Amino acid sequence: SGTAVSNLPLPDGSEARVTKVGDQNFRAKIVNKGDVLATIETHDAAAGLDANDMFVVLTTDGRVHAWMGGGQSGPGTFALKGGFDAKVTKVGELHYRAQLLDRDGKVVDTIETAGRHDVGVDANGVYIVLSNGGIISSHD
């Protein structure tokens, strides 16, 4: 249920079907040839997905940003778009944390996979996905 907002083509040939499900809450179903491959939902914060090296971020205003490739496998520290570095650590099984560092090495944000769910953020126009397997990718 929810109000249909948009259907957007994705870089792998599938489609994101976005619906509004509440105030600042959106759901995107990733659909290929009629089959729903994955669903992500915002819950007052951006959501992200690593779908076999296609990365998708759904923002709290219902926008979808998707790109192919660029995944780096943690743990470790990796350069991201926009001048950020990410220090990725393994917290537990299917549980990773990435500290986003500015050019001075100061932590400006921390993202963490919750349970089995990948996470995505919009960091001032730089889109970042961290998967529950420790893969991080960014795009601007």
Side-chain angles (χ1 to χ4, degrees):
S1 65
T3 305
V5 176
S6 60
N7 292 342
L8 304 162
L10 296 174
D12 71 347
S14 62
E15 178 180 67
R17 295 183 183 166
V18 180
T19 54
K20 184 170 185 168
V21 293
D23 187 35
Q24 289 194 333
N25 288 311
F26 290 83
R27 179 181 302 127
K29 291 184 179 181
I30 311 303
V31 180
N32 191 359
K33 297 178 182 157
D35 294 328
V36 176
L37 305 178
T39 301
I40 57 177
E41 196 166 319
T42 58
H43 299 297
D44 300 320
L49 175 68
D50 174 0
N52 298 321
D53 210 34
M54 180 182 70
F55 299 91
V56 181
V57 173
L58 175 64
T59 63
T60 56
D61 60 0
R63 290 180 298 119
V64 172
H65 192 87
W67 66 97
M68 296 294 293
Q72 302 174 90
S73 185
T77 301
F78 307 101
L80 301 180
K81 302 286 185 183
F84 292 104
D85 282 335
K87 181 180 179 186
V88 177
T89 53
K90 185 171 183 173
V91 180
E93 188 66 27
L94 299 177
H95 189 175
Y96 283 80
R97 178 181 300 131
Q99 292 178 306
L100 305 182
L101 312 172
D102 66 13
R103 287 178 170 86
D104 298 324
K106 179 179 172 231
V107 176
V108 294
D109 199 1
T110 300
I111 58 176
E112 194 165 325
T113 61
R116 297 182 177 271
H117 298 289
D118 302 344
V119 65
V121 294
D122 174 356
N124 297 323
V126 176
Y127 300 90
I128 302 166
V129 171
L130 176 65
S131 79
N132 62 13
I135 305 291
I136 193 162
S137 184
S138 63
H139 199 259
D140 56 9

